[in-house]
Amino acid sequence: DGGITQSPKYLFRKEGQNVTLSCEQNLNHDAMYWYRQDPGQGLRLIYYSQIVNDFQKGDIAEGYSVSREKKESFPLTVTSAQKNPTAFYLCASSITGTSGSGEQFFGPGTRLTVL
Amino acid sequence: GENVEQHPSTLSVQEGDSAVIKCTYSDSASNYFPWYKQELGKRPQLIIDIRSNVGEKKDQRIAVTLNKTAKHFSLHITETQPEDSAVYFCAASNRNTGNQFYFGTGTSLTVIP
């Protein structure tokens, strides 16, 4: 069953703690992305990776870190330096290059709440 | 970088009427424009997309138009149904330099039965 999965679905964190959100895909996509979604706002890009062992900052990377050790996995760590981490986090993946569909496929999301 | 603006932020229509959502973008190098539908608590899903070498694309009740000169594109939904109620996002990307999407802020569409 192909797709992109995220875990956990809900996550609660105390202030000052780091937490890691999981994202896995079996679509054989080279590119993976992390977005943050806040009420009334669009999706804002945190980090993206177009190939294993390489990633770039998006528009709101401060307070976040990522790794891309495997093609299938792109975990996001929300560090204590992120001032307002409560949000809905979405992971996505896509093929790279200009041929074929440019669609990004989204995971079901993780809702992070800081207590 | 790219800046995408989307209007209106909320839209209510009677069932059977048409709905139009408009987006503008700033980077003339953008060449791919997808539209996503997101139901409450769910993941965004692609409903239609258009490349910069095409001016219009239709898929049943949904159509997208693109004006490259004016740098704007629009989503048209005809014969709206209650199940069309959702938040719709437009996005722009340059597939020649990676596929990073720049999203609009979304339009909450309500179709009144």
Side-chain angles (χ1 to χ4, degrees):
Chain A
D1 186 23
I4 179 166
T5 59
Q6 292 182 242
S7 62
K9 187 173 182 179
Y10 298 98
L11 185 57
F12 297 90
R13 188 196 92 175
K14 292 183 180 179
E15 283 193 20
Q17 287 181 335
N18 292 353
V19 290
T20 297
L21 283 58
S22 169
C23 179
E24 305 277 334
Q25 55 97 4
N26 62 4
L27 300 168
N28 200 34
H29 287 166
D30 285 310
M32 297 187 74
Y33 313 82
W34 274 105
Y35 294 93
R36 170 181 172 139
Q37 187 173 30
D38 295 284
Q41 297 194 35
L43 285 71
R44 293 183 291 167
L45 184 64
I46 305 172
Y47 268 98
Y48 64 100
S49 168
Q50 296 192 55
I51 198 168
V52 173
N53 292 323
D54 188 44
F55 49 83
Q56 287 79 39
K57 293 182 179 180
D59 296 326
I60 56 166
E62 184 176 352
Y64 300 97
S65 66
V66 294
S67 63
R68 186 85 188 278
E69 297 176 2
K70 298 187 300 182
K71 187 176 186 177
E72 302 80 17
S73 178
F74 192 39
L76 173 74
T77 297
V78 184
T79 74
S80 57
Q82 169 49 234
K83 297 185 187 305
N84 297 297
T86 295
F88 189 50
Y89 290 87
L90 286 160
C91 179
S93 70
S94 76
I95 61 171
T96 53
T98 57
S99 62
S101 169
E103 177 180 2
Q104 287 188 12
F105 294 82
F106 284 86
T110 292
R111 189 166 298 279
L112 172 63
T113 302
V114 174
L115 304 173
Chain B
E2 175 66 281
N3 181 46
V4 177
E5 295 189 356
Q6 182 172 348
H7 300 281
S9 57
T10 60
L11 180 61
S12 292
V13 299
Q14 293 288 333
E15 182 177 357
D17 287 350
S18 296
V20 180
I21 302 170
K22 299 182 179 182
C23 288
T24 61
Y25 61 99
S26 60
D27 188 350
S28 57
S30 290
N31 53 24
Y32 176 66
F33 306 93
W35 285 89
Y36 282 79
K37 175 183 180 181
Q38 186 178 28
E39 297 177 357
L40 191 62
K42 300 275 184 75
R43 73 187 80 191
Q45 294 196 303
L46 181 75
I47 54 171
I48 196 166
D49 56 10
I50 192 168
R51 296 197 188 204
S52 58
N53 58 350
V54 176
E56 183 176 3
K57 184 177 178 181
K58 288 184 180 179
D59 183 3
Q60 300 183 333
R61 296 186 297 109
I62 294 173
V64 56
T65 58
L66 171 65
N67 183 328
K68 284 193 300 182
T69 303
K71 294 207 274 294
H72 67 71
F73 56 112
S74 300
L75 177 71
H76 305 254
I77 306 174
T78 59
E79 300 172 20
T80 53
Q81 302 168 1
E83 51 266 37
D84 294 329
S85 296
V87 179
Y88 292 80
F89 292 98
C90 63
S93 80
N94 180 348
R95 297 193 65 192
N96 294 325
T97 58
N99 197 28
Q100 301 90 289
F101 284 8
Y102 296 89
F103 282 92
T105 50
T107 296
S108 177
L109 173 65
T110 301
V111 178
I112 304 165

